[in-house]
Amino acid sequence: MTQQPIRFGLIGTGRIGQVHAASIAASPNAALAWVADPFVDGANALAERYGATATADATELIAAGTGAAPEIDAVLIASPTPTHVDLIEASVRAGLPVLCEKPIDLDIARVDALRPLVAELGVPVALGFNRRFDPNHASARARVAAGEIGALEQLIIISRDPAAPPADYIAVSGGIFRDMTIHDFDMARFFAPDIVSVSATGTRAFDPGAREHGDFDTAVVTLETSAGAVITIVNSRHSAVGYDQRIEAFGSGGMLQVGNPLSNTVSVSTAAAVEARPAYPEFFLERYAAAYAAELEEFVKLARGEASTSPTFEDGRAALILADAAQRSAVEGVAVAVAL
């Protein structure tokens, strides 16, 4: 028997909210029922496009999932980070499963204050670490877990954005480690969850916004696992060759590498260059379109009470702990022990 689609209430209609709205509309297992944004014009536009109900008040959206005739089955939170904790709390108190964009919050104290309630109520909460669902990353991780390259000894994660964000975004982002590297921290834990130590170096090589707000535009993080494996994360806020996302897993019996996709596989050879290929994608949506779709499908399973590999609230908390440790390490020049 075919199950009914999960009816979503989407909170936040900015760039990432629009991505999730499109993913919901494209899925046979999901439907967009309600949209909320205090900038109600954005909510109205998305609601009209997808046949949903719009509101400026997120509490009204959550209330639509309660009562004798609920109109939503789950909540997708794509609003600004400072709103996440309160919206997660309201949603789980209403009994509504949640898929929330990262991070849970910029302050680990607020995350830890919410943690007992999430555990007590048992309502599913998933975090938007979509890169786990990239087919190539997922394949590499599965092959490592299966022992194809023996015991994991080194993992290198390269993540470089095409261009730095505006200075006013950096001012409220929580810094490169909580905003950008947090995806890489989750990817590190995806491959090797037993991380015990964090060392980080950050510099201000090129971005005036990073200098203005005391952030870093270039960073390298070294993580150590309890088994002695070393994970190296390489970040930059700009990349002349496009959105650069690569992984290398090295083990006692071999190596696995995940490269960047190209817009096409045509190469050209001339007097100026041999086998020249197109640059990498310029936008994260191009690189991770399939990952966003797979992330949604996995959350639908979670919302239905089925077995699911969606990243959990605890995964979100662990990534933030690593981000905080990296920030401290980069500022103080010390290695930071962590317990996840």
Side-chain angles (χ1 to χ4, degrees), residues 4 18 31 39 63-64 73 85 135 170 192 224 242 259 269 288 333:
Q4 291 296 314
Q18 293 177 47
F39 300 99
D73 307 303
V85 164
I170 291 176
E224 184 178 340
S269 297
Y288 287 118

Side-chain angles (χ1 to χ4, degrees), residues 9-70:
L10 171 66
I11 303 174
T13 61
R15 181 174 66 175
I16 197 63
Q18 293 177 47
V19 171
H20 286 301
S23 294
I24 292 168
S27 171
N29 297 307
L32 188 61
W34 275 70
V35 182
D37 198 307
F39 300 99
V40 73
D41 287 348
N44 285 332
L46 271 189
E48 183 176 349
R49 187 182 310 164
Y50 296 114
T53 300
T55 178
D57 186 358
T59 60
E60 183 182 4
L61 178 149
I62 293 168
T66 64

Side-chain angles (χ1 to χ4, degrees), residues 148-181:
E148 184 173 337
I149 61 169
L152 182 67
E153 297 173 359
Q154 295 176 326
L155 182 69
I156 300 171
I157 302 171
I158 296 172
S159 180
R160 300 184 178 110
D161 285 350
D168 58 355
Y169 175 83
I170 291 176
V172 299
S173 69
I176 191 171
F177 297 118
R178 298 182 186 93
D179 172 56
M180 178 180 175
T181 322

Side-chain angles (χ1 to χ4, degrees), residues 143-212:
R143 292 165 73 172
V144 168
E148 184 173 337
I149 61 169
L152 182 67
E153 297 173 359
Q154 295 176 326
L155 182 69
I156 300 171
I157 302 171
I158 296 172
S159 180
R160 300 184 178 110
D161 285 350
D168 58 355
Y169 175 83
I170 291 176
V172 299
S173 69
I176 191 171
F177 297 118
R178 298 182 186 93
D179 172 56
M180 178 180 175
T181 322
I182 197 164
H183 273 295
D184 305 310
F185 289 134
D186 183 70
M187 186 55 57
R189 292 190 63 254
F190 188 45
F191 278 82
D194 56 331
I195 295 166
V196 296
S197 178
V198 181
S199 299
T201 299
T203 64
R204 301 170 184 100
F206 58 86
D207 181 36
R211 294 192 193 99
E212 178 185 353

Side-chain angles (χ1 to χ4, degrees), residues 85 105-116 320 324:
V85 164
D105 196 80
L106 298 178
D107 183 353
I108 192 64
R110 294 196 74 210
V111 174
D112 284 344
L114 177 61
R115 188 184 187 200
L320 185 59
D324 286 349

Side-chain angles (χ1 to χ4, degrees), residues 1 81 84 134 171 200 282 286 335:
M1 227 179 129
T81 298
H84 289 179
D134 173 78
E282 277 286 326
E286 298 172 58

